[in-house]
Amino acid sequence: MSTAAKTYIGLSVGNHNSVIAIINKDHRAEVIANEDGEHKTPTYLAFSGDEEYHGSQAKHQIVRNAQNTVAGFRDILGKAYTASMAEQHAGFAAIEASEDGGAVFVIGDLRLSAHDATVRYLARLRTTAEDYLGRKIDGAVLAVPVWFTGEQRASISAACADAGLPLLQLVTEPAAAALQYGLGRESSGDSVAVVVDVGGTGSDVSLVAATGGLVAVVASAHTTAVSGEVIDDVLVRHFAAEFTRAHGVDVMGNARAVRKLRQAVEGTKRTLSSATSAPCAVESLAEGIDFNSSVNRTRFDILCQRTYAPLLETIEKVVKDAGYELAQVDQVLLCGGAARVRRLQARVASLFPEETEIRDDAAEELDEVIAAGCAEQAALIAQGGADAQAAADLKADVLAHVVGLQISADHLAPVLRKDTPLPAARSVSVALPKGETRAYIAVSEGEAVPPKPVADEDDEEEVEEEEEEAAAAPLYRPTRLLAEMVLELDAADESTRVEVTFFVGSDKKLTVTASEPVSGKTITAVIPQ
């Protein structure tokens, strides 16, 4: 985006693809096309003789020149070399230990560190953005996985500097996604959301809390058991078996044929997200034999259904570890290219009650969400939105417990929810019975009430009664009384209301003020941390 002659971009660098976004003149996130007219730039480098390739051209080298193709360097950045790195990248440029204990890619006589590979790639992305916009880039907000260590964050910051890409801020991927979905805006209110990011090499699940301009990541987990690659593997095995049955040729034993088939099924998978069937065609797949086939969505869903279970388990674990019930999640935010698979979306939705909103509407494509969120963050920085900037970088403190009005010994009406980013303020209006001259206000901490399981009964009426009881039960119960306040009033009538305001500052001190606007009477309690 351009503000006072400054041009800022949002940037998502994934292990498979990277995306650049800006805020356009209509104040909407817009993804920049690269030199090939594509919105996604594959995160690959390749070398052939004196030629160096980037993005799509590098990815095309995989079939014939895999040993000189560099992939997966983002996650290696800032890490010490391990033998598992070489195993995970088998089939691409070899990885060895460097003299300083890091990892280097070996391409003939060239030894390319993860830092050098990242610098070359980021410099190309900067050039792509500048060529598209026709002006110099003055700053970028870049997303990193929430599980990145301090060393990895420092390494990618250093790579940005060496690539001539001015770094405004690193933000976590779930925070960027939440911003793009509109969480944390002043008008969006409080929200607890689960961000489900299904990427090319793994999935990240994060629970985020958002309130007026602030977003905080509460809990997260990473799994490699569900990813675009895992789904691709299912399709590769399916079509390879079909080819073997038709021609008696073992495709899985031919590394080059597998790479060709893998590139083809990526397109098949994308097509199935919007169509009921999709083709898969590979010229000269093996022994000079062309391959042409197709798969419908129903068959695809049957093939892949077992691969989704680890993602569902990860979602349940993250919500539980954060101290929440699934019923307390307001929204599920989907992002990442593989999250467009419709059956996977349906399986995720099945975990939550109908009231939970399942969203995939933040961008034209789900793998563009994070970059667009980074562009939104860049716009906030340009406008001086310091609070939003800090929150997206996980610098905001959060409330440790739900706080609200104690209605009874087993019922708490929440006012500020657990994990609300601080500072925060909320007000509620309390009606009084006619003729009442005293307003009693009890302020308590609380906890969520686990939903009561419904018995598996044959009697439908009994089951319905249990469901109604569970629906009527309070969602929170008080655990610790913080303050009791009594506001003396004139006799209340039908219009009398007491306004109760809760404010928690960055010091976590709670101030509760009860006032009656007509008489101007007020009382305040201050509860230290």
Side-chain angles (χ1 to χ4, degrees):
M1 67 153 292
S2 179
T3 300
K6 296 289 185 181
T7 300
Y8 295 157
I9 63 171
L11 184 58
S12 169
V13 179
N15 251 349
H16 266 196
N17 292 292
S18 299
V19 181
I20 309 167
I22 60 167
I23 299 299
N24 61 24
K25 294 179 180 179
D26 296 326
H27 307 290
R28 295 173 60 87
E30 176 185 334
V31 173
I32 290 175
N34 60 24
E35 295 84 352
D36 300 313
E38 300 170 342
H39 282 183
K40 296 181 290 292
T41 301
T43 313
Y44 294 85
L45 300 175
F47 300 84
S48 179
D50 295 331
E51 296 293 328
E52 179 176 336
Y53 302 96
H54 303 80
S56 298
Q57 293 182 2
K59 188 174 181 180
H60 292 326
Q61 293 285 315
I62 291 175
V63 174
R64 297 178 180 275
N65 189 28
Q67 72 277 9
N68 294 318
T69 302
V70 178
F73 49 84
R74 186 203 67 172
D75 285 358
I76 294 177
L77 194 64
K79 287 184 176 180
Y81 170 82
T82 63
S84 63
M85 288 180 182
E87 295 172 4
Q88 292 168 3
H89 290 76
F92 293 96
I95 299 176
E96 296 179 355
S98 63
E99 293 181 358
D100 61 2
V104 294
F105 296 92
V106 181
I107 307 103
D109 295 332
L110 176 65
R111 294 175 65 84
L112 194 68
S113 69
H115 172 83
D116 291 338
T118 306
V119 169
R120 293 182 187 219
Y121 184 76
L122 288 174
R124 189 55 176 262
L125 291 182
R126 173 181 56 78
T127 300
T128 294
E130 291 178 341
D131 289 348
Y132 181 92
L133 296 170
R135 54 186 181 271
K136 178 175 173 288
I137 299 302
D138 297 295
V141 171
L142 189 148
V144 295
V146 69
W147 42 265
F148 252 32
T149 64
E151 290 80 2
Q152 288 173 288
R153 293 168 70 94
S155 294
I156 203 164
S157 297
C160 286
D162 289 348
L165 182 66
L167 184 64
L168 295 173
Q169 185 184 37
L170 292 178
V171 300
T172 60
E173 291 172 340
L179 287 171
Q180 177 60 13
Y181 271 102
L183 273 70
R185 293 175 184 165
E186 296 289 347
S187 59
S188 66
D190 293 348
S191 186
V192 173
V194 170
V195 179
V196 180
D197 181 1
V198 189
T201 57
S203 296
D204 291 295
V205 176
S206 304
L207 187 138
V208 302
T211 188
L214 298 174
V215 175
V217 177
V218 179
S220 63
H222 177 74
T223 177
T224 57
V226 184
S227 67
E229 284 187 347
V230 170
I231 296 173
D232 291 346
D233 285 342
V234 173
L235 285 175
V236 166
R237 289 194 296 270
H238 168 71
F239 286 125
E242 184 177 322
F243 187 84
T244 299
R245 287 193 301 270
H247 305 287
V249 178
D250 178 17
V251 173
M252 298 305 294
N254 183 329
R256 181 174 172 182
V258 170
R259 288 194 292 267
K260 293 173 74 172
L261 187 54
R262 179 175 295 280
Q263 289 197 348
V265 301
E266 287 182 14
T268 304
K269 179 181 65 179
R270 283 195 298 270
T271 302
L272 285 170
S273 66
S274 57
T276 56
S277 65
C280 180
V282 182
E283 183 179 350
S284 186
L285 176 58
E287 297 188 8
I289 305 171
D290 296 341
F291 177 68
N292 287 279
S293 185
S294 64
V295 63
N296 62 43
R297 188 184 291 173
T298 301
R299 179 61 176 160
F300 172 73
D301 290 338
I302 293 172
L303 291 169
C304 295
Q305 60 183 348
R306 293 184 180 179
T307 66
Y308 307 144
L311 180 64
L312 307 184
E313 294 167 2
T314 303
I315 292 171
E316 292 178 314
K317 180 180 184 302
V318 167
V319 173
K320 182 179 179 180
D321 288 350
Y324 287 82
E325 301 291 337
L326 291 167
Q328 293 175 289
V329 175
D330 301 308
Q331 301 181 54
V332 175
L333 313 179
L334 298 172
C335 59
R340 64 168 66 90
V341 176
R342 296 303 177 189
R343 182 58 180 168
L344 183 148
Q345 293 183 4
R347 291 290 301 277
V348 170
S350 69
L351 290 177
F352 298 89
E354 291 184 3
E355 294 77 15
T356 302
E357 188 178 8
I358 312 298
R359 298 186 59 188
D360 64 350
D361 58 334
E364 291 294 325
E365 294 284 349
L366 290 180
D367 41 17
E368 298 175 2
V369 171
I370 291 173
C374 289
E376 292 277 359
Q377 181 66 6
L380 287 174
I381 294 173
Q383 296 162 10
D387 290 340
Q389 177 181 354
D393 207 21
L394 301 186
K395 296 176 183 175
D397 288 324
V398 296
L399 197 62
H401 305 279
V402 64
V403 177
L405 299 177
Q406 181 170 326
I407 307 302
S408 66
D410 59 359
H411 186 188
L412 179 79
V415 178
L416 287 169
R417 292 200 285 184
K418 176 178 178 287
D419 296 315
T420 297
L422 303 179
R426 293 290 179 274
S427 295
V428 293
S429 182
V430 179
L432 297 178
K434 186 175 181 179
E436 184 65 61
T437 59
R438 303 172 80 239
Y440 171 72
I441 307 294
V443 179
S444 291
E445 284 181 352
E447 64 181 6
V449 178
K452 182 181 177 181
V454 178
D456 185 13
E457 299 284 349
D458 293 332
D459 189 338
E460 293 186 7
E461 290 186 4
E462 186 173 344
V463 172
E464 289 178 2
E465 287 178 4
E466 290 185 7
E467 289 177 341
E468 290 176 1
E469 289 178 7
L475 290 176
Y476 297 91
R477 59 190 171 208
T479 56
R480 184 165 73 99
L481 183 65
L482 299 178
E484 294 179 288
M485 306 161 62
V486 176
L487 181 62
E488 301 290 345
L489 301 169
D490 299 328
D493 58 26
E494 292 85 351
S495 63
T496 302
R497 297 289 186 274
V498 173
E499 300 293 332
V500 184
T501 299
F502 287 61
F503 174 76
V504 183
S506 299
D507 58 2
K508 299 184 181 180
K509 182 186 296 182
L510 170 63
T511 302
V512 181
T513 302
S515 61
E516 198 281 304
V518 175
S519 66
K521 294 181 178 180
T522 185
I523 187 171
T524 297
V526 178
I527 301 108
Q529 180 179 348

